[in-house]
Amino acid sequence: MSHSKFSSQKQENYKKAKEKLLQFLQRADASFVEAATLLDIPREDSIPVITDKVSNDIFSLVLIGAFQSGKSTLFNYLCDGRELSPVGPGGGGIRTSGCRVSAHCIEEGSEEYAIISWRSADELLRSLGNKLLPYYAEKRGKVGADYLTESIVNLHNEAERKQLADYAWEQLKKGKLTPDDKELLRFTLLVCRFFPEFSDKTGAGSSRHSVQEVVKLTSYPQNWNALWLAAMETGDLSTFSGLVSFAFVAGCDFYLNSPILRDLGCSVTDCPGLFISKWDTTIAEQCIRQADALLYMFAGEKALTMGDLNALKACVDMGGEHKMLFGANLRISHEQWARIEEESVLPDLKDNGFSQPYIHPFRSG
């Protein structure tokens, strides 16, 4: 079957299911109104909200998953194969990005555009991670939070930026760091060095651009590690000039004339990791609570990691259990995955509160 015929058939099936659901919602709403009148109680107001979302195709799907689980690749596929969500050098991404990326379908024939949300100074500090807590303790004599704040470091003050950067250099040169800690320290150095160039944007909130401009602004340097090797020798970050706008982006919304998104009938969000920094966790929590459906992505080659289990527990704690779907990005054969799924993954999901989980296997590559 050709893509156009397949797409047309899906749209017809979607329209029929949508009509049935709207009829059901109308009957349910009428019943609630009648009951509220008879019992003299407030009417249930969630059904009109759901009805509006169904009528206007404004449901939201949020992709969640561990680092390198394939969610950014899937996001890009759902945007008609365009490289919109930053995947970083070598496809792995830089773990400290914390950039929420959402795609929304616009009316066919309309002009595409994108909106960037810039991080405030406080949001930048929250994204720097708990590796800097000793610096916090040194400045204030105690640790009262798990992230830096504007009351501790004034990014608008050159001397305070230099003090923080000096501490980050010192920690980075010690070595024996986890990948996350190393990238957070690198991120800290870039924020301290280039904040003056972006200070007007950090206070501006958001700005409108073309889709191509936003892709460029959120892209990582492809020679990331080579640039850092040189910087570690010289202590000079000037080679990053013009390459670090991604570090100051909080999120971006693409408004696309997209056949695939139109077929889906919803917006799609690529969510940052849950536990890299206070900033990442906050953004992920917001995405999870606001989502109509969550697709949790597993690296489909092994049992669930402790990171997966912690993230899933967090999703349940945030009220996401009833809207959770699962996907496995297969990097092994279907037969090998079926054995791992049956012996390990499904039991782990059931033990952690998901009574009847179903995992959709796919290949992102």
Side-chain angles (χ1 to χ4, degrees), residues 1-11 263:
M1 182 181 291
S2 70
H3 173 75
S4 60
K5 288 183 179 179
F6 180 62
S7 178
S8 176
Q9 184 61 54
K10 285 199 297 183
Q11 286 189 353
D263 283 349

Side-chain angles (χ1 to χ4, degrees), residues 282-342:
T282 299
I283 295 301
E285 286 179 355
Q286 291 175 0
C287 292
I288 290 168
R289 294 188 187 281
Q290 294 169 5
D292 295 301
L294 305 169
L295 176 58
Y296 191 91
M297 308 276 289
F298 303 120
E301 59 184 342
K302 56 187 177 183
L304 301 188
T305 66
M306 187 57 66
D308 285 321
L309 294 175
N310 287 336
L312 288 167
K313 181 180 184 302
C315 290
V316 171
D317 292 342
M318 295 175 207
E321 176 188 355
H322 69 286
K323 49 189 177 184
M324 184 78 73
L325 309 169
F326 301 101
N329 180 16
L330 297 191
R331 295 164 183 167
I332 54 179
S333 70
H334 281 272
E335 292 75 16
Q336 290 173 306
W337 168 249
R339 184 167 59 254
I340 294 172
E341 180 184 30
E342 184 66 28

Side-chain angles (χ1 to χ4, degrees), residues 106-313:
I106 57 176
E107 186 176 346
E108 191 171 359
S110 299
E111 183 179 358
E112 297 186 334
Y113 64 98
I115 302 290
I116 279 185
S117 301
W118 298 96
R119 302 191 203 202
S120 67
D122 184 63
E123 289 169 341
L124 283 166
L125 289 167
R126 279 192 286 149
S127 68
L128 299 184
N130 60 12
K131 191 64 180 176
L132 297 166
L133 287 183
Y135 177 84
Y136 178 103
E138 183 180 317
K139 289 232 9 168
R140 291 290 183 247
K142 62 179 180 178
V143 176
D146 57 355
Y147 58 94
L148 298 177
T149 65
E150 289 183 274
S151 63
I152 302 166
V153 179
N154 179 5
L155 289 177
H156 293 273
N157 183 290
E158 182 179 359
E160 294 202 26
R161 288 198 311 273
K162 184 179 184 306
Q163 288 174 356
L164 179 58
D166 287 345
Y167 180 82
W169 274 120
E170 177 187 326
Q171 297 303 308
L172 192 58
K173 290 177 180 178
K174 286 182 177 179
K176 295 183 180 179
L177 299 167
T178 68
D180 288 343
D181 286 342
K182 181 170 72 173
E183 296 301 350
L184 285 166
L185 290 168
R186 289 175 169 182
F187 189 84
T188 301
L189 290 169
L190 294 179
V191 168
C192 291
R193 168 65 173 78
F194 293 100
F195 180 80
E197 296 180 21
F198 291 88
S199 60
D200 58 331
K201 292 182 173 62
T202 60
S206 62
S207 55
R208 177 166 172 158
H209 305 264
S210 70
V211 170
Q212 292 74 20
E213 286 174 330
V214 170
V215 170
K216 185 177 180 180
L217 288 169
T218 56
S219 294
Y220 307 117
Q222 290 304 300
N223 55 341
W224 178 253
N225 286 318
L227 288 172
W228 276 108
L229 284 173
M232 292 297 292
E233 291 182 5
T234 64
D236 182 9
L237 296 177
S238 59
T239 52
F240 285 94
S241 183
L243 301 174
V244 298
S245 53
F246 74 87
F248 296 86
V249 174
C252 54
D253 290 270
F254 292 102
Y255 294 86
L256 307 173
N257 195 342
S258 165
I260 292 180
L261 289 177
R262 192 168 292 115
D263 283 349
L264 285 176
C266 67
S267 64
V268 181
T269 294
D270 185 1
C271 184
L274 286 172
F275 303 111
I276 302 301
S277 73
K278 183 67 174 179
W279 164 258
D280 298 303
T281 302
T282 299
I283 295 301
E285 286 179 355
Q286 291 175 0
C287 292
I288 290 168
R289 294 188 187 281
Q290 294 169 5
D292 295 301
L294 305 169
L295 176 58
Y296 191 91
M297 308 276 289
F298 303 120
E301 59 184 342
K302 56 187 177 183
L304 301 188
T305 66
M306 187 57 66
D308 285 321
L309 294 175
N310 287 336
L312 288 167
K313 181 180 184 302

